[in-house]
């Protein structure tokens, strides 16, 4: 098993920055692989049907909101595992992984079940009725991959805490191959075979349902690869599947106490994007399609900052577990994340039409998408700052403040301005995105201030006491 060499917590700034970069690069590439699955689907469906593309855009907003809470529980493993590794207690990290998987399993069924009633709200808020069957079809196809995706996140987080980042990258490559092949076949049916110059075999065109099924298959591949790596690699406990000793058990309730605030944090943020996706549905299929393309591109570059956030969380957790100050890791992570997002901002500002043109030839969709990418060029910077700061706070075990900051930023600032700019001032989709940007700016300021205050003092490890309760600073 390949493992990133981790500099000690007390290393100089140059060594720490190199360690962050070595951790962040494969994490970023793995995240890009995840987003690529969605972009490939968008490209395939966008060429086949603007109507299906719009339906999938709305469906992904709902599914992402449903998934976010489970993702938060999976990310509870970040402080538990990284701080345990920093303290030299790998058995406790393994026990935390098993408890995290149980928590994810408990959340999966109700989360999937709630996503379907959410579609009943679409028509009352103005989404075109013709889109709703496609929305439900995609949700149905996506449902089998829900838990495997959360399991993949948990195993990936566990491996990252050990400096093992290559398995997630291998998993994303394999999942992309499976997803691309199945999406083309299931969405376009025999038309795809004809494009490949193969004889028809009677494959139906499943449209949105086919895209959801392809995504589920990709999630199964993601989970299988990282599970095998965690079980067989250096991170596994001696004896492989041997249960951890009683003193190293981590109660599922401890995972929920950390994971619920993280999940609420993600849910509040993704909920804002989900509601935005549904509101955009009021502006018609071309606008929804342009929104979906622009959001997919912004999500692609965001993976760079998300990779840096994951690396920063690991390094902050290692420092706290080892009893060292985490401020240097946190600040260097912010600097690295901002640099990465600056590259994305420049790309969007300089070549928006070429980028949107990769996904559609529709002139109206193209023009709207270009306008949205200009806005995205600005919010990229603040989006990067807020996600890295949140990652650093998560590594420190501070999970409540980011949740509260998200509420204030997105729902008390961003969402009202979204409605004001988009509808009251009649700025359309571009106005909606300006409101989103205002929320991201506010959130980045709040989280950076909190991070500076927190890392200026002593931080207590997010350990596990005798009763199995997580102790968070």
């Amino acid at each position: 098993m390949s493992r990133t060499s981790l500099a000690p917590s007390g290393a100089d700034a140059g060594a720490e920055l190199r360690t962050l970069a070595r951790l962040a690069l494969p994490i970023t590439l793995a995240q890009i692989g995840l987003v690529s699955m969605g972009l490939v689907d968008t490209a395939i469906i966008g060429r086949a049907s603007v109507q299906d593309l719009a339906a999938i855009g709305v469906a992904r907003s709902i599914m992402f909101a449903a998934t976010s809470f489970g993702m938060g529980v999976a990310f509870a493993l970040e402080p538990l595992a990284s701080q345990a590794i920093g303290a030299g207690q790998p058995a406790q990290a393994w026990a935390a992984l098993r408890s995290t998987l149980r928590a994810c399993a408990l959340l999966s069924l109700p989360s999937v079940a709630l996503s379907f009633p959410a579609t009943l709200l679409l028509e009352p808020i103005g989404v075109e009725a013709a889109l709703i069957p496609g929305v439900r079809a995609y949700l149905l196809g996506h449902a089998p991959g829900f838990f495997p995706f959360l399991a993949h996140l948990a195993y990936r987080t566990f491996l990252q805490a050990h400096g093992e980042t290559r398995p997630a990258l291998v998993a994303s490559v394999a999942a992309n191959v499976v997803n691309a092949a199945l999406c083309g076949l299931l969405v376009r049916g025999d038309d795809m075979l004809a494009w490949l110059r193969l004889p028809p075999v009677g494959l139906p065109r499943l449209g949105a349902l086919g895209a959801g099924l392809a995504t589920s298959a990709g999630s199964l591949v993601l989970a299988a690869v990282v599970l095998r790596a965690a079980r067989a690699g250096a991170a596994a406990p001696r004896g492989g599947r041997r249960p951890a000793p009683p003193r190293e058990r981590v109660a599922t309730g401890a995972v929920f106490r950390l994971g619920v605030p993280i999940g609420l944090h993600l849910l509040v943020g993704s909920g804002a994007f989900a509601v935005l996706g549904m509101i955009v549905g009021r502006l018609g299929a071309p606008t929804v399609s342009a929104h979906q393309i622009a959001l997919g591109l912004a999500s692609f570059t965001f993976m760079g900052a998300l990779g840096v956030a994951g690396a920063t969380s690991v390094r902050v957790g290692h420092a706290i577990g080892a009893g060292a100050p985490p401020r240097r890791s946190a600040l260097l992570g912010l600097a690295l994340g901002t640099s990465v997002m600056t590259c994305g901002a420049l790309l969007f500002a300089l070549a928006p039409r070429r980028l949107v043109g990769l996904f559609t030839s529709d002139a109206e969709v193209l023009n709207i998408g270009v306008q949205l990418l200009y806005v995205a060029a600005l919010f990229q910077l603040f989006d990067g700052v807020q996600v890295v700061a949140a990652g650093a706070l998560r590594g420190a075990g501070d999970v409540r403040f980011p949740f509260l900051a998200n509420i204030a930023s997105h729902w008390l600032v961003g969402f009202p301005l979204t409605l004001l700019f988009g509808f009251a001032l009649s700025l359309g989709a571009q106005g909606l995105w300006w409101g989103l940007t205002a929320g991201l700016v506010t959130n980045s300021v709040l989280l950076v201030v909190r991070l500076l205050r927190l890392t200026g003092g002593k931080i207590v490890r997010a350990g596990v006491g005798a009763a199995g309760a997580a102790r968070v600073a």
Side-chain angles (χ1 to χ4, degrees), residues 77-87 93 161 313-319 321 395:
L77 193 57
E78 283 187 337
L80 291 172
S82 63
Q83 291 182 21
I85 297 303
S313 179
V314 169
R315 293 304 290 159
V316 167
H318 284 172

Side-chain angles (χ1 to χ4, degrees), residues 34-54 56-57 60 138 176 179-181 183-185 187-188 192 195 205 207 211 215 289-290 292-297 300 354-362 365:
L34 295 183
V35 175
S36 294
M37 291 172 62
L39 289 177
V40 167
D41 292 353
T42 299
I44 292 173
I45 296 161
R47 297 289 179 180
S49 168
V50 172
Q51 192 83 358
D52 278 343
L53 179 59
I56 289 173
R60 282 178 177 164
Y138 181 82
N176 265 281
N179 176 71
C183 188
L185 290 173
V187 169
R188 300 180 61 186
M192 185 66 181
W195 183 77
R205 297 182 60 169
T215 300
S289 297
Q292 176 68 14
I293 291 170
L295 191 61
L297 288 166
F300 187 85
R354 182 170 298 180
L355 291 171
V356 178
L358 295 173
F359 301 94
T360 183
S361 56
D362 185 282
V365 175

